[in-house]
Amino acid sequence: MKIKTYNKLVRDNIPEIIRGGGGDCVTEVLSDDDYLRALDSKLSEEMKEYTDSHNIEELADILEVVYAAAAARGVTRDTLEKIRAEKHRKNGGFSKKLFLKEVHEQQ
């Protein structure tokens, strides 16, 4: 029997998918604090996967992790969207493709 170690947060249906494919797995339900840390780690993982591949499915994975992280911190999708929209209203989006090179401050 070959054992592969992952030690990472996975989607809810992954154990059933593994068992449906004839495998078996060991899982653990995380504490709230460990879950938040695992979500942060998962977000970094998904960001790297997207930047390496530029696959649109990886962007969807990033959103899934962002929604889970918000929910774990007591924030609904609607509230998160309101915060995003307000920041967009105040600071704009990224459609102008602006790249800030320098700021010259008055002394």
Side-chain angles (χ1 to χ4, degrees):
M1 174 188 337
K2 181 180 173 186
I3 297 176
K4 196 169 182 183
T5 303
Y6 287 93
N7 290 324
K8 68 178 190 174
L9 188 66
V10 295
R11 289 175 178 259
D12 297 339
N13 296 339
I14 295 301
E16 287 78 20
I17 292 169
I18 291 169
R19 290 183 191 107
D24 199 8
C25 61
V26 177
T27 61
E28 165 187 357
V29 176
L30 299 173
S31 69
D32 290 346
D33 288 342
D34 287 343
Y35 178 55
L36 288 170
R37 280 190 289 280
L39 282 166
D40 291 344
S41 178
K42 189 68 172 180
L43 184 57
S44 294
E45 174 192 333
E46 296 299 348
M47 291 287 294
K48 180 173 179 357
E49 288 176 5
Y50 171 72
T51 57
D52 287 350
S53 70
H54 299 107
N55 184 319
I56 197 71
E57 287 191 16
E58 298 302 339
L59 280 178
D61 288 344
I62 290 167
L63 279 176
E64 192 68 32
V65 176
V66 166
Y67 292 149
R73 288 171 173 82
V75 178
T76 67
R77 286 185 189 195
D78 286 344
T79 300
L80 185 63
E81 174 56 22
K82 285 177 187 171
I83 293 167
R84 185 212 60 80
E86 178 60 19
K87 288 192 80 167
H88 185 275
R89 187 192 66 71
K90 280 177 56 179
N91 302 324
F94 296 96
S95 62
K96 292 182 180 178
K97 305 175 189 175
L98 298 176
F99 186 78
L100 183 63
K101 295 178 78 170
E102 296 178 344
V103 174
H104 301 221
E105 296 179 355
Q106 299 290 334
Q107 296 199 6

